[in-house]
Amino acid sequence: MFVEDIMRKKLITIKMEQTILHALQLIKVNRIRHLPVLHNGELVGIVSDRDLRDVSPSVLLNEHSFILQNTSVKQIMKHEVIVIHPLDYLEDAVKLMYDHRIGCLPVTRNDRLVGIVTETDLLRALIELTGSTEPGSTLEIRVPERYGPLAEITKIVKNNKVSINSCFIRPDQSPQYRLIVMRLKTIDPANIIQEIQQAGYQVLRPLVGGDIDE
Amino acid sequence: MSSNPCLIYVPELLQYNFGPQHPFNPLRLKLTIDLIDQLGLLTPTLLYPPESAVDADLHTVHDRHYVDAVKKAGDTGEAEPQDTQYYELGTEDNPVFSGMHHASLLLVGGTLTGAKRIASGKADHVLNFSGGLHHAVRAKASGFCIYNDLAVAISYLRSQGMRVAYVDIDAHHGDGVQWLFYDDPEVLTISFHESGKFLFPGTGTVYERGSKAGFGYSLNIPLEPFTQDQSFKEVLDMVLPVALEQFRPDVIVSQHGCDGHEFDPLAHLSFTTEAYSYAAKTIHQLSHRLCDGRWLATGGGGYDFWRVVPRVWTLLWAEMIEKGDLVDMPGEWLKKYGKHSPVALPEMVSDDTEAFSPKPRHAEIMEKNRLTAEKAMNPQFLLKGDPSRTQLAK
C-alpha cells in the first residue's frame, strides 16, 4: 500500500496569518486534530489541537476571546514539519509516526501539500490488511525461519482449490520461527490443516483439544 | 402447553446434494427422519410435505441475476468462470450439481411452507430439518448455502405484518440472515456462535449491532473455542429471555445447526446433546410465553451425521411435540446404520455429559463468555432503532 492509496485528499488547512480562534473552530467543526499551515500555497508549518489548547486562556476567564482573536497561527505553529511523499510506502508512514511519536504526516510533492495521513487512516489500513471483509476461516501456522514454507503451504491451499483472502507473516517469539496468518475462503479448512501438518508444520490455531500446550 | 406442531419432509429433499466428498451430506437428513420414525415420533398427521418455492419468492431476498446464474449452472452442470468469480458458484464449498436450482427451491419451499402455515394459524410449531442455510446473501452462495431459506421465510412473515425474532445457535455466525435484515427494526437477529477469530465466516463480533433504523436489532454472542455446555447455557440464559421479552416478537424463527458438538469436525465449541436440548427447550418455552407458540425451526450445520445430527435433531423434534423421555437408541436403527458408519454409534439418544471432561482453561473460558454476553446486553445499545418503543427502554 502506497501512501497515496491511504492518504486523505480532502484537506482542511489554514493560512499562517489567520487567527487561532479560526483554527480552533476548524478543528472543532471538522472533528480533526491537525491543521497544515499554508503560505502562498506552500506548506510552512503545522498546528495540532494540543498546540492550540496550550495557548488558549482558561475558559473560566471572562475575557478569553481577545487572545484568540488577536494571535495569528504563524506565532504558534511548528515550523519543522515531518512530511512524507505519496510514493512512500505504508510501512514508512507507520515507522515515521511511531519513531517521532506524532499523530499525522502531511503528504507533499514538490513542497505542495497533496494529502494527509493520520493515525485513523493507518488503523483503517490495518483493518483492511488483517480482518478481510470477506467470509473466511483463519489459520495460524508456525514455520521455521528459512526459505520455502510459505510456498509449500500455498501449494497445499492451491491443490485444495481454495482461494486466499489475506495472508501475513510475522516474527514468532522464538527467532528460529515465523508465524503465517492466513485467511482462507472456505468454511471447511480441515483437509488443508491436515496436509499442512503432514508437511511438518505446526498449526497453532484453530486449536484441537483445547490446550495451547497440547 | 397445548400445541399444533408439524414436521416438513419429503424424500425429494435429499436431492440437495453436493456429492459424496462434500461434508454437507444428505444422509444427515435421512438418518434423522429414520431415527424419529423408529422411535415412534412420526405419526402421519404430524408430517407435512413442502410446497416448492417459486422464483418470485427468491426475489424477495436474492438478486435476479444470481438466481438466473444458479438456474443455468444447475441445467448445464457447471458454472461459468464469471459465476464463480461473482457468485461463488462452483467453488469447493459450493459446487455445482445438476438440478441445483430446483432442489434448492424445494428446500426453500419447506421453510416457506412452514412460515405460511404459522401465519395462517394452521400450525404453531413447524420444523424443517433441511432448512437453515444462513450464510447465503443477496447475490452470493456461501458456506454450503445456495439460497437463504430462512431469509425468504422471514421476508414472508414480515409481509404479513409480523415482528420476527431470529435465533441462531449454529457454530458458525448467522451472517447471511443478519446482513439481509441489518437495517430492519422489525427483525431481531440473535446469533450464538464460535468466535470468528479463526472460524468461518469471521464475522459476528458484539460490535455488529445493526445499522440505520435497525441499529440495536442485531445481537451477537461470539463464544470462545471449547465453550462446553455449562458456559453456553449460562450465556443463553443471560441473553435470550431478556432480548426476546424486550423485543416482543410475533413469531420466533430458529436455526439449530449442531456443529458445535464435541464430535463435529468443523468447529470447536465442544458441546454435548445437552446444550442443544437446553436451547430447544428455552426457545420452545419463550415461544409460548411471548407469541402464542408461533415457532418456526430449521436444521443447519452439523457434519458428524452418524453420531450427532440424528440425535440432536430428534431431541429437537421431541421437545417440539413434548415427548421428553427418550433413552435408548432403537436397535433396528443401530443395526441398519451401524455397518455403514466408520465410527461406533452411540447407544443413548442423549449424551452422558459426565463422560465429557472439562477442557483446560475452563474457568477462564466461562469468564470470557460471561463478559461477552454482558457486553452484548449493554443496555446502552439494546434495541435503539425505534425510540418510540419506550417500554423497551427500561
Side-chain angles (χ1 to χ4, degrees), chain A residues 187, chain B residues 24 28 107 111 126-136 142-145 147-151 153-154 164-178 188-194 200-201 232 236 240 244 251-260 269 271 275-277 279-280 283-284 295-303 312-313 316 320:
Chain A
I187 190 173
Chain B
F24 200 91
R28 58 215 292 283
L107 183 157
T111 310
V126 181
L127 179 50
N128 174 25
F129 290 127
S130 70
L133 304 186
H134 61 170
H135 292 309
S142 175
F144 315 157
C145 308
Y147 297 136
N148 197 317
D149 60 300
L150 293 156
I154 291 171
V164 184
Y166 171 72
V167 181
D168 187 319
I169 58 167
D170 194 281
H172 301 90
H173 176 222
D175 57 342
V177 180
Q178 172 178 297
L188 171 67
T189 63
I190 308 177
S191 179
F192 298 85
H193 48 266
E194 181 180 330
F200 184 93
F232 173 71
L236 196 80
L240 210 50
L244 292 193
V251 55
I252 298 174
V253 177
S254 57
Q255 199 267 22
H256 297 258
C258 53
D259 39 5
L269 287 170
F271 295 155
Y276 293 105
S277 298
I283 295 168
H284 187 191
W295 175 27
L296 173 61
T298 70
Y303 307 98
V312 168
W313 288 357
L316 169 61
M320 209 176 241

Side-chain angles (χ1 to χ4, degrees), chain A residues 192-207:
Chain A
I192 293 174
I193 291 174
Q194 202 188 350
E195 287 176 30
I196 290 172
Q197 285 166 336
Q198 279 162 0
Y201 303 114
Q202 205 182 344
V203 179
L204 298 183
R205 299 282 167 81
L207 284 173

Side-chain angles (χ1 to χ4, degrees), chain A residues 107-151:
Chain A
V107 186
T108 55
R109 189 188 280 131
N110 300 326
D111 291 335
R112 290 273 157 179
L113 186 68
V114 293
I116 193 162
V117 175
T118 69
E119 286 164 331
T120 314
D121 302 314
L122 296 181
L123 289 175
R124 196 186 54 236
L126 188 67
I127 291 171
E128 280 174 29
L129 278 174
T130 58
S132 153
T133 43
E134 287 174 291
S137 308
T138 306
L139 307 187
E140 255 185 45
I141 309 151
R142 182 189 270 155
V143 300
E145 208 292 270
R146 60 168 165 80
Y147 68 89
L150 183 64

Side-chain angles (χ1 to χ4, degrees), chain B residues 223-290:
Chain B
L223 302 164
E224 293 298 297
F226 315 106
T227 283
Q228 300 194 289
D229 295 350
Q230 191 191 354
S231 178
F232 173 71
K233 285 157 73 174
E234 180 185 42
V235 164
L236 196 80
D237 285 342
M238 285 172 73
V239 173
L240 210 50
V242 184
L244 292 193
E245 267 161 31
Q246 289 199 21
F247 180 69
R248 291 274 154 190
D250 297 313
V251 55
I252 298 174
V253 177
S254 57
Q255 199 267 22
H256 297 258
C258 53
D259 39 5
H261 193 279
E262 170 80 13
F263 296 155
D264 195 277
L266 258 58
H268 322 86
L269 287 170
S270 299
F271 295 155
T272 74
T273 56
E274 167 63 12
Y276 293 105
S277 298
Y278 188 82
K281 190 174 168 189
T282 306
I283 295 168
H284 187 191
Q285 286 172 350
L286 284 167
S287 79
H288 282 286
R289 201 156 93 216
L290 300 173

Side-chain angles (χ1 to χ4, degrees), chain B residues 2 26 104-105 130 164 199 258 281 336 369:
Chain B
S2 69
S104 304
L105 274 183
S130 70
V164 184
L199 195 72
C258 53
K281 190 174 168 189
K336 183 172 170 192
N369 286 337

